[in-house]
Amino acid sequence: MTSHHLLQRRLATPLGPLTAACSAAGLSGLWFDGQKHHPGALAVPVDDGQDSVLAATADALAAYFSGRAFTLPPLDPAGTAFQRAVWRALLDIPPGAPDTYGRLAQRLGRANAARALGAAVGRNPIAVLVPCHRVVGADGSLTGYAGGLARKKALLALERAAA
């Protein structure tokens, strides 16, 4: 499969550096170094600071980590129709109010697909801004996070403090 990423930019955050990538239509990836499902080195040019999507991504992350409201950049993650539906549903989970895999599956009309939903959540290519870290186990336990459980705990704590 050919990558639809056109540009990339490295972004510093309090939880470690992220690589942001964009397509012609929007933000196509945002990964912590070393996270699961990281695509590895991207064979696309580094942004010279002029790309509006990557600039909006940097601004959104700065606001997020400062506890301020922000506007999402246009999003363009590559995935199956089911994965994209799951990733869109993640955007409806408010900060400071984690949701469960089961409830998310029910909201998508796929109550029996919690495992497939969990796999899609884990494959979310846009860390932090598409908030897969807000999904927890049925008992409220912190389940996996591609960026590591320490980062998931930190993101949830930041959102609780800002809420």
Side-chain angles (χ1 to χ4, degrees), residues 1-156:
M1 180 175 147
T2 304
S3 170
H4 75 289
H5 310 304
L6 298 177
L7 286 173
Q8 63 178 313
R9 183 189 288 189
R10 298 282 288 164
L11 301 170
T13 78
L15 298 180
L18 288 162
T19 297
C22 68
S23 68
L27 182 65
S28 53
L30 187 62
W31 306 274
F32 284 107
D33 287 359
Q35 82 171 51
K36 290 181 187 171
H37 312 298
H38 190 295
L42 299 176
V44 297
V46 174
D47 176 43
D48 62 5
Q50 301 300 311
D51 185 77
S52 62
V53 169
L54 295 177
T57 301
D59 291 346
L61 286 168
Y64 173 86
F65 283 108
S66 299
R68 299 186 326 262
F70 61 90
T71 300
L72 280 174
L75 303 176
D76 187 32
T80 67
F82 178 72
Q83 287 173 324
R84 289 191 312 272
V86 169
W87 301 333
R88 277 190 303 273
L90 294 172
L91 296 170
D92 295 331
I93 303 172
D99 207 351
T100 67
Y101 292 95
R103 284 196 301 259
L104 192 55
Q106 286 176 337
R107 277 204 315 279
L108 285 168
R110 303 283 299 267
N112 295 327
R115 288 182 71 122
L117 180 131
V121 169
R123 289 276 183 177
N124 170 29
I126 301 178
V128 184
L129 298 181
V130 175
C132 55
H133 60 275
R134 294 183 190 150
V135 184
V136 298
D139 61 358
S141 63
L142 298 186
T143 54
Y145 179 61
L149 283 181
R151 284 190 181 117
K152 183 171 186 165
K153 287 178 188 174
L155 292 167
L156 292 172

